[in-house]
Amino acid sequence: MVEETRLSVDDLIFPLFLVEGKKIKQEVLSMPGIYRFSMDELLIEIGACIELGIKSFAPFPSIDQKLKDSYASESHNRQGLYIRSIGAIKKQFPEVCLVTDVAMDPYSSDGHDGIVNSGEILNDETLEVLGKMALAQAQAGTDIIGPSDMMDGRVGYLREVLDQGGFKNVSIMSYTAKYASAFYSPFRDALDSAPKSGDKKTYQMNPANQREALTEARLDTEEGADFLMVKPALSYLDVIKLLKDHFDLPIAAYNVSGEYAMVKAAAQKGWLDGDKIMLEILTSIKRAGADVILSYFAKEFAQLKD
Ligand code: PBG
């Protein structure tokens, strides 16, 4: 009766990994229970998740090395894996809410979220690539774009591109306070997208900073974001709370791959009770102020409830 925080499957967005091919369901080594799916298998998986009550999905593509280049050209190829899949998912399941990824790294031969020139990231030139990507995704039928790149000014730029393209109703879930974190490595394994040189510290935030998140959130709000995201979640609960207290937009939190991997590894060894830890972690993220949580635990949580 006096419980303050209740988790529901409605709070969750399920990230999914996609690969080219047929009949592929390949477990990610560092993420037990999470798979790379070919498009046919992905549609089956989404169908199963819908049965469990999950309504929202965030697909990410694992792109063949041969298709990667420094300009992430494959990212806006209408016949490419990602754009085709968005169309296929929305055709088969028009009722699902898709949050699609806008960032260069899955398609970049440099493994960065921006165009690299002599070791530096070209912010403004990158915006043009992100714009093409967002437009291709909108045309394929996405509901929400999720710019996960952390370039400056990209929310305003993408809003403009979408509006001018006739996609006023496509929302933007901005990765607002995205930290340069070591918790992303299983995700980079899944997509084979680790930076080939350098790191992401010139565009992702310093884990030591909290107030900087307010600046990022103010800019994203002014530029037209519809959601503000904090990422990772667990080591940044204070940042989730801070944004919740200062902004009226819905707050999203990304319970990232490394947070999932830690729990799975300990549970496999019998050191922790995986189900209880999952519930405690998700509850803490919601208690801190997240309205929506992207989590690899989404399906397991939904199954637990049933
Ligand atoms: C990059 C991106 C990353 C994640 C989502 N989008 C990793 C990175 O910044 O290198 C990580 C998600 C996770 O770890 O679960 N655009």
Side-chain angles (χ1 to χ4, degrees), residues 15 17 31 60 101-106 111-113 146-150 175 178-188 191 193-195 200 203-204 231-232 254-260 294 296:
F17 299 126
M31 302 180 76
F60 292 92
D101 187 50
V102 172
M104 284 178 59
D105 57 317
H112 273 286
D113 296 60
S148 66
D149 56 287
M150 287 301 272
Y175 287 60
K178 176 171 178 179
Y179 287 86
S181 169
F183 281 103
Y184 306 147
S185 55
F187 174 96
R188 292 177 188 171
L191 299 193
S193 64
K200 298 192 174 186
Y203 48 103
Q204 299 182 347
K231 174 183 177 186
Y254 200 142
N255 175 215
V256 298
S257 56
E259 300 172 48
Y260 176 86
L294 291 96
Y296 302 96

Side-chain angles (χ1 to χ4, degrees), residues 60-135:
F60 292 92
S62 174
I63 300 293
D64 197 320
Q65 287 299 334
K66 293 195 295 289
L67 297 172
K68 298 188 184 186
D69 62 26
S70 351
Y71 294 95
S73 321
E74 182 63 12
S75 65
H76 43 88
N77 174 6
R78 266 57 174 181
Q79 275 75 52
L81 171 68
Y82 199 54
I83 305 299
R84 266 189 295 125
S85 305
I86 294 169
I89 297 168
K90 289 300 290 188
K91 184 159 178 253
Q92 187 157 340
F93 305 109
E95 71 277 24
V96 305
C97 176
L98 275 191
V99 183
T100 51
D101 187 50
V102 172
M104 284 178 59
D105 57 317
Y107 321 87
S108 154
S109 45
D110 299 306
H112 273 286
D113 296 60
I115 299 170
V116 183
N117 183 19
S118 315
E120 290 193 349
I121 301 292
L122 303 179
N123 188 93
D124 295 3
E125 288 79 352
T126 298
L127 297 186
E128 287 177 36
V129 182
L130 300 177
K132 288 183 190 166
M133 209 182 298
L135 202 56

Side-chain angles (χ1 to χ4, degrees), residues 153-261:
R154 93 277 205 210
V155 172
Y157 182 87
L158 293 173
R159 185 69 271 161
E160 187 75 20
V161 167
L162 289 174
D163 288 354
Q164 288 191 353
F167 297 102
K168 291 190 190 309
N169 293 333
V170 172
S171 304
I172 302 180
M173 181 179 288
S174 176
Y175 287 60
T176 296
K178 176 171 178 179
Y179 287 86
S181 169
F183 281 103
Y184 306 147
S185 55
F187 174 96
R188 292 177 188 171
D189 290 346
L191 299 193
D192 196 11
S193 64
K196 296 288 183 289
S197 65
D199 54 42
K200 298 192 174 186
K201 289 182 186 169
T202 62
Y203 48 103
Q204 299 182 347
M205 283 174 57
N206 182 342
N209 288 4
Q210 189 195 55
R211 291 172 60 232
E212 188 182 358
L214 290 172
T215 305
E216 294 284 1
R218 183 164 31 78
L219 289 168
D220 282 0
T221 304
E222 285 165 8
E223 291 176 31
D226 299 286
F227 297 79
L228 303 175
M229 189 199 295
V230 176
K231 174 183 177 186
L234 203 48
S235 293
Y236 301 88
L237 295 177
D238 57 326
V239 182
I240 296 173
K241 169 93 170 96
L242 186 73
L243 295 197
K244 179 74 165 197
D245 288 346
H246 287 82
F247 294 88
D248 299 330
L249 287 172
I251 305 297
Y254 200 142
N255 175 215
V256 298
S257 56
E259 300 172 48
Y260 176 86

Side-chain angles (χ1 to χ4, degrees), residues 11 39 52 154 159 167 225 242 263 278 283 287:
D11 304 326
M39 212 203 293
L52 293 166
R154 93 277 205 210
R159 185 69 271 161
F167 297 102
L242 186 73
V263 177
M278 162 179 76
T283 302
R287 190 195 63 231

